[in-house]
Amino acid sequence: MTVLILARDFDPTADAVVQALAERDIPVFRTDLQDFPRKLRMHAELCDGSWSGSLWNQHHEVDLAEVRAIWSRNPATYVFPETMTRAEQDLAFREAKLGLGGVLASLDVLWANHPNRCADAIYKPYQWTVAVACGLDVAATAITSDPASAERFARRRPGHTITKALGPTGTADGDMVKVSFTRRLTEHDVADLRGVAVTATTLQEFVPKAFEVRLTVIGDSWFPIAIHAANERAHTDWRSDPSALTYRFVPIPESVVAGVAEYMRHMCLAYAGFDFVVTLAGKWVMLEANTGPQFGWLQAETGAQMVAAMADMLGKGKP
C-alpha cells in the first residue's frame, strides 16, 4: 500500500516525511499537481461505483487501489502551455481539477486533509461559528463593509480593536510581495474608516494575552506549543518578527481538548493547526484553525516529533 503525497518540488517538511515513511518501509508516490498532464499521467475507469486505474510519471507508477493515504501538502496548481489561449487554459484547468481532482477525492482513503473538507474550513466566519458550537471561546468579531458600523464596533472597545485578513495575507506587487499583518486600530484609524467600504472588512476585539499557542493536531498526536513574543509588534502578530519569538510546550485545559476534538470530528479533519490566545487569567481564545499548517519550523525549534507523527498517521491509513 502506497502513500500519495501532493507537494511542491521544494518542500523540506515533505522531504522529511517522505524519509520517515521510507524508514518505515512504506512506499511513497510524490508528485505535484502542476506536473499534470505534461509529466504526470492518469487513467481511471468507473466500475461498480468505484474508480480503478493508475497515476504514473517517468519514474514511478501507482495503482489507485494501492493508495492507503493522501497528503495534500500545499501543491502548486495546474499549469498549461502559453501557446493555449486564456479561454483554452481556463477550460483545461477546470477539467483537470474536476477530473484528476475528482477521481482522487472519490478514493476511500485517509486524506490529510480531504479537499472538500478544506474548502469548507477555509471560511473563518464558519470556523468561528463551529468553534463556539464545539465549546471553544472566540473573540467578539464584526465583518462589515459599512464605515459607520465599523466605527461603532471600534468605539465600544477603544484601543482594543484589531483588523485582520480572512485569507492569505501575501499579495504580489510587481517584484515585491507585501504581507498584511494583524494590527490594532489607532484613534487616527477609527477617525477615518472609509476604506472599510472597499470590501468585507474584519474587526475583532483585541484580547490581552500572556502568550499565544499553536496547537498542531496530527491524528492522535497533539503538540501544544506556546509562542512568547519579546516585542510589541510580535506580541500583536507573532508572524511579523520571528526573531523575537521563544517556544515551550504547555498543558492544554480539558475544556479546550474537548472542544478541539469535537471541532476535528465535526470538520472531518485528520490534522490541523489551531491558533489560540491565552489571557493573563489562563483563558484560551481561538483565533483560527488551519487545515494545511506548516510544522517543520516548530519541530526545528522545539524538537516536537511532528514529522514522525505525520508519517505514522499516513502509514496507518484510514481507521
Side-chain angles (χ1 to χ4, degrees):
M1 300 295 283
T2 299
V3 172
L4 173 61
I5 296 180
L6 307 175
R8 298 169 191 251
D9 290 340
F10 179 77
D11 188 331
T13 300
D15 294 344
V17 172
V18 169
Q19 178 62 34
L21 287 166
E23 293 169 356
R24 291 159 172 76
D25 293 323
I26 297 172
V28 175
F29 186 96
R30 176 178 175 177
T31 189
D32 195 355
L33 294 181
Q34 70 173 356
D35 291 340
F36 182 82
R38 294 173 297 115
K39 299 178 182 179
L40 174 67
R41 298 293 182 91
M42 176 195 70
H43 180 77
E45 296 186 11
L46 184 64
C47 183
D48 296 328
S50 298
W51 288 97
S52 61
S54 60
L55 291 173
W56 70 94
N57 57 28
Q58 62 179 341
H59 302 295
H60 304 287
E61 181 173 0
V62 60
D63 188 318
L64 295 178
E66 292 298 312
V67 175
R68 76 170 70 178
I70 302 175
W71 182 23
S72 183
R73 166 69 183 178
N74 190 31
T77 193
Y78 307 99
V79 177
F80 296 93
E82 294 184 0
T83 54
M84 299 171 66
T85 67
R86 173 53 59 187
E88 290 169 339
Q89 291 182 47
D90 290 344
L91 175 61
F93 179 92
R94 289 195 303 272
E95 293 303 298
K97 180 178 180 180
L98 299 176
L100 173 58
V103 168
L104 294 180
S106 74
L107 299 182
D108 186 22
V109 301
L110 173 76
W111 269 91
N113 282 300
H114 195 286
N116 293 358
R117 306 292 79 77
C118 293
D120 291 339
I122 195 173
Y123 294 100
K124 288 182 185 176
Y126 178 54
Q127 287 185 18
W128 296 325
T129 301
V130 172
V132 172
C134 292
L136 298 171
D137 290 303
V138 175
T141 305
I143 299 175
T144 181
S145 63
D146 179 55
S149 298
E151 182 178 357
R152 286 193 295 271
F153 181 90
R155 292 205 180 281
R156 289 200 298 269
R157 42 190 65 76
H160 284 78
T161 301
I162 61 171
T163 182
K164 61 196 298 184
L166 290 174
T169 57
T171 57
D173 185 5
D175 294 332
M176 297 181 61
V177 175
K178 298 180 179 180
V179 179
S180 174
F181 295 113
T182 299
R183 69 181 186 87
R184 296 173 71 168
L185 296 184
T186 65
E187 179 56 36
H188 178 73
D189 294 324
V190 177
D192 184 4
L193 290 170
R194 288 175 294 177
V196 167
V198 172
T199 187
T201 301
T202 301
L203 304 176
Q204 195 169 67
E205 180 180 12
F206 177 77
V207 180
K209 57 192 170 185
F211 54 89
E212 295 188 42
V213 171
R214 165 59 68 86
L215 169 60
T216 306
V217 180
I218 304 174
D220 295 328
S221 300
W222 292 41
F223 302 92
I225 298 175
I227 303 175
H228 293 265
N231 60 41
E232 185 61 30
R233 186 172 66 141
H235 190 69
T236 301
D237 188 331
W238 55 260
R239 298 168 302 174
S240 65
D241 189 0
S243 66
L245 306 178
T246 55
Y247 308 85
R248 64 180 176 87
F249 287 94
V250 291
I252 317 172
E254 290 185 7
S255 61
V256 175
V257 171
V260 168
E262 179 59 19
Y263 184 98
M264 295 288 291
R265 186 202 66 77
H266 182 93
M267 292 292 209
C268 300
L269 301 176
Y271 86 120
F274 293 80
D275 287 327
F276 288 91
V277 165
V278 179
T279 69
L280 297 174
K283 180 180 179 180
W284 287 43
V285 180
M286 190 187 111
L287 300 179
E288 65 177 288
N290 189 332
T291 59
Q294 299 287 344
F295 56 83
W297 58 282
L298 284 172
Q299 174 159 325
E301 292 285 351
T302 66
Q305 293 301 300
M306 298 182 180
V307 167
M310 179 61 74
D312 288 340
M313 181 182 71
L314 295 171
K316 185 183 299 183
K318 190 173 181 178

